[in-house]
């Protein structure tokens, strides 16, 4: 990763409330040398936009549709209008619990790009897939499904988040070496597609905490993090952001 700063994005998942958000958002601040973002639930995006200073806003998901008879959906254009820069796409919880298949993850990525959002495309293997030696194949298939829809040049306009399913919310983060191995493989895949592999940020997500962030971010192909639980505690999240600065671009 040559030029860009690292990106640390907080994924609040289904957590928050007006009062708690105000306290958390008020305690977040810009950190020189790292790009910081938070992704609250949809109803709180406007509140977050009004309170954040120097911290970018993202959504946790996005509809593949722009407008029309799609009850319950939120379009990329609406998110952009509310001040979002990022949209998480294809989080493993969306895939596992809400039926998002690989093709729809591709279409959601395209929708985000269409509206000028930066998609954070999540990929990652389950424990069974890892133990069967299929991690690389699974991740490459997930990336291929996105490439099929948006094309290789679009990879210059998105972020990739490697989130091993077995590490999310479990307290069992990938080791720095495990993360590096997969990140390097994703970068190889990007190169094989003809993308400018070094220019694409590849984030790690899954039980990143203040005390393991520096080691993970110190890996050459880890360009930041997608943070769940630790993003709900301001001082932990800020510590993770500072760890990203310490590890450089
Ligand atoms: P976690 O979640 O940090 O709580 O493991 C990460 C994620 O799901 O993005």
């Amino acid at each position: 990763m040559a030029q860009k700063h690292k990106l640390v994005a907080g994924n609040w998942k289904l957590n928050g409330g007006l009062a708690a958000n105000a306290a958390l958002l008020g305690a977040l601040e810009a950190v020189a040398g790292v790009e910081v973002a938070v992704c609250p639930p949809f109803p709180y995006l406007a509140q977050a936009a009004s309170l954040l200073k120097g911290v970018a806003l993202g959504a946790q998901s996005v509809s593949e549709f722009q407008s029309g008879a799609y009850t319950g959906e939120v379009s990329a254009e609406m998110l952009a209008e509310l001040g979002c820069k990022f949209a998480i796409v294809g989080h493993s919880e969306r895939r596992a619990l809400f039926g998002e298949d690989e093709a729809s993850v591709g279409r959601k990525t395209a929708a985000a790009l269409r509206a000028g959002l930066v998609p954070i495309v999540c990929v990652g293997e389950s424990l069974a897939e890892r133990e069967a030696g299929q991690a690389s194949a699974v991740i490459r298939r997930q990336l291929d499904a996105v490439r099929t829809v948006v094309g290789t040049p679009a990879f210059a306009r998105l972020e990739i988040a490697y989130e091993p399913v077995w590490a999310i919310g479990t307290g069992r983060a990938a080791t720095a070496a495990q993360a590096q191995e997969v990140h390097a493989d994703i970068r190889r895949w990007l190169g094989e597609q003809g993308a400018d592999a070094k220019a694409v940020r590849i984030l790690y997500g899954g039980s990143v905490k203040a005390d393991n962030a520096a080691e993970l971010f110190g890996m050459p192909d880890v360009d930041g993090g997608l943070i769940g639980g630790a993003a709900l505690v301001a001082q932990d999240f800020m510590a993770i952001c500072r760890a990203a600065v310490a590890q450089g671009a």
Side-chain angles (χ1 to χ4, degrees):
M1 194 72 237
Q3 324 85 334
K4 286 190 207 169
H5 292 317
K6 290 195 195 306
L7 169 63
V8 177
N11 172 12
W12 290 9
K13 309 193 181 186
L14 185 50
N15 294 292
L18 288 172
N21 299 347
L24 176 52
L25 292 162
L28 302 183
E29 48 194 29
V31 179
V34 60
E35 185 169 12
V36 180
V38 291
C39 305
F42 290 137
Y44 301 128
L45 288 171
Q47 180 197 21
S50 74
L51 293 176
L52 288 172
K53 290 182 193 64
V55 173
L57 190 59
Q60 297 174 20
S61 184
V62 59
S63 178
E64 67 186 75
F65 302 110
Q66 187 163 357
S67 65
Y70 302 105
T71 301
E73 292 288 276
V74 176
S75 74
E77 286 72 13
M78 294 173 183
L79 298 174
E81 193 173 36
L82 279 171
C84 285
K85 175 175 180 181
F86 298 101
I88 299 171
V89 179
H91 189 282
S92 65
E93 288 153 13
R94 304 284 330 159
R95 294 180 193 253
L97 304 174
F98 302 100
E100 288 189 11
D101 60 18
E102 289 176 1
S104 81
V105 173
R107 292 192 298 271
K108 285 167 181 275
T109 304
L113 290 166
R114 179 189 67 216
L117 299 176
V118 178
I120 300 175
V121 178
C122 299
V123 297
E125 82 288 359
S126 67
L127 187 58
E129 289 163 341
R130 169 161 285 263
E131 286 174 347
Q134 292 169 352
S136 172
V138 166
I139 291 161
R140 283 166 172 256
R141 194 186 65 222
Q142 292 170 339
L143 290 168
D144 256 322
V146 172
R147 186 191 50 76
T148 301
V149 180
V150 302
T152 297
F155 278 77
R157 295 190 287 134
L158 56 74
E159 322 271 347
I160 296 171
Y162 168 54
E163 297 211 310
V165 176
W166 46 271
I168 295 176
T170 59
R172 180 186 164 194
T175 64
Q178 283 172 325
Q180 168 58 25
E181 185 183 4
V182 174
H183 284 227
D185 188 50
I186 292 172
R187 217 173 295 283
R188 260 194 309 280
W189 178 87
L190 287 164
E192 288 161 18
Q193 311 313 310
D196 182 358
K198 284 199 181 330
V200 182
R201 279 191 297 208
I202 307 173
L203 317 181
Y204 169 79
S207 297
V208 179
K209 307 289 177 207
D211 60 6
N212 63 10
E215 195 186 355
L216 288 160
F217 296 159
M219 293 293 112
D221 288 301
V222 177
D223 305 315
L226 185 53
I227 319 302
L232 297 172
V233 180
Q235 69 186 44
D236 291 353
F237 187 61
M238 287 287 92
I240 292 168
C241 294
R242 286 191 296 273
V245 185
Q247 297 307 320

